[in-house]
Amino acid sequence: MAAAEAAPHFGAELKDAFKPVNNWVSNGIAWMEEVQQFYRERSAIEKEYAAKLTALCKKYYDRKAKKISPLSVGDNPTMTPGSLESASLTTWSTQLAAVEAHAAERDKFATDLVAQVAEPLKQSAVQYEELRKCHVDFHGKLEKERESSFSDLKKAKGKYDGACQEVESRRKKMESAFDHGKTKAQTVYQQQIMEMNNVKNTYLISINVTNKLKEKFFHEYVPELLDVSHIKLIDANLG
């Protein structure tokens, strides 16, 4: 049986896609805020609906209480009605109780919408936003390191170009020097060549360092950051 194919790394697939991924995550967090706000508003509507149903039931309980005697034994009873209640009033009481119970259920449902849906969504969004900001800050540091390396390379190249120009200048002076000054000009020229070679070595080292950093930035640092971001967002969601 063939071995199961390893799942691709999130960061390795996206490489230098931190900024679009960050925008995507930011949009997702904003969407979570939108969703949780919907459930808060729905909760408020449910609460209002439950309160109106409860008030309606109370109103008709009060009205029913005033009609027990006329509906059960008439307007001019020949005997005390006591606890006697007509069947229609008993049925009506059952209906009012059912609506009242439904109102209580709606009120509890409204409370649960906030406690079990809206609030967890809000907390998750806060966690995601904190993680996102941390990752943005770290990515910014990586970019600064990369830009600093590019800047150092540019400076090293400038020094190397300057050293090459100075060598050429010394060569021309040596060639145009008179015999009595030629030895000195040659010495200065050789010294300048040595200086140019030293600057050249520094420049080559800078090229190597910058290339290595560039390679790590695109193929190691940013992919690892994207992987960590992906894992932490999943952990936050599961938590």
Side-chain angles (χ1 to χ4, degrees):
M1 182 177 178
E5 185 178 350
H9 287 287
F10 192 72
E13 292 295 319
L14 296 175
K15 297 190 186 306
D16 185 35
F18 180 83
K19 290 181 179 179
V21 169
N22 178 59
N23 289 336
W24 176 74
V25 171
S26 183
N27 290 336
I29 293 171
W31 175 243
M32 290 177 70
E33 174 64 25
E34 186 87 1
V35 173
Q36 70 98 8
Q37 188 59 41
F38 165 81
Y39 283 108
R40 289 184 188 278
E41 291 186 21
R42 181 181 174 184
S43 173
I45 292 172
E46 293 284 354
K47 283 278 187 184
E48 182 182 3
Y49 173 60
K52 287 184 176 181
L53 281 182
T54 300
L56 181 66
C57 289
K58 183 179 183 306
K59 174 183 175 181
Y60 278 87
Y61 268 128
D62 292 342
R63 293 178 66 168
K64 168 184 166 285
K66 296 176 182 178
K67 297 180 182 294
I68 290 177
S69 180
L71 290 174
S72 298
V73 295
D75 291 331
N76 300 300
T78 58
M79 59 179 291
T80 303
S83 60
L84 182 65
E85 186 174 274
S86 68
S88 61
L89 285 175
T90 301
T91 302
W92 182 233
S93 295
T94 301
Q95 292 298 316
L96 290 176
V99 173
E100 198 171 39
H102 178 67
E105 290 175 359
R106 303 311 298 183
D107 185 77
K108 182 179 182 302
F109 176 63
T111 300
D112 290 343
L113 280 177
V114 173
Q116 298 180 20
V117 181
E119 195 58 31
L121 275 173
K122 179 182 178 181
Q123 294 303 319
S124 293
V126 169
Q127 285 182 306
Y128 291 159
E129 181 63 12
E130 289 176 353
L131 286 172
R132 188 191 68 80
K133 287 180 178 179
C134 287
H135 297 151
V136 168
D137 289 343
F138 186 67
H139 183 263
K141 291 179 181 178
L142 291 177
E143 283 190 319
K144 284 182 179 179
E145 288 181 4
R146 184 188 62 175
E147 294 305 317
S148 177
S149 179
F150 286 157
S151 178
D152 291 343
L153 177 61
K154 186 176 181 180
K155 291 177 182 177
K157 184 180 184 303
K159 289 182 179 180
Y160 176 60
D161 290 342
C164 289
Q165 291 174 2
E166 186 63 23
V167 166
E168 181 62 19
S169 175
R170 293 297 179 181
R171 184 186 66 79
K172 290 179 179 179
K173 288 182 179 180
M174 180 190 68
E175 290 176 350
S176 62
F178 294 106
D179 291 341
H180 66 276
K182 208 167 195 60
T183 301
K184 181 180 179 181
Q186 287 177 338
T187 301
V188 173
Y189 174 63
Q190 291 300 323
Q191 289 176 343
Q192 190 58 45
I193 289 178
M194 291 177 61
E195 176 64 21
M196 181 200 69
N197 286 331
N198 289 335
V199 174
K200 178 182 178 181
N201 289 335
T202 301
Y203 176 46
L204 292 175
I205 291 172
S206 294
I207 291 175
N208 185 55
V209 169
T210 301
N211 286 339
K212 286 291 184 183
L213 181 58
K214 182 179 178 181
E215 181 181 357
K216 283 183 174 292
F217 180 86
F218 288 112
H219 298 282
E220 183 177 334
Y221 296 153
V222 173
E224 284 183 1
L225 177 59
L226 289 171
D227 280 339
V228 170
S229 300
H230 187 221
I231 292 170
K232 285 190 175 181
L233 287 174
I234 291 175
D235 288 344
N237 188 43
L238 293 176

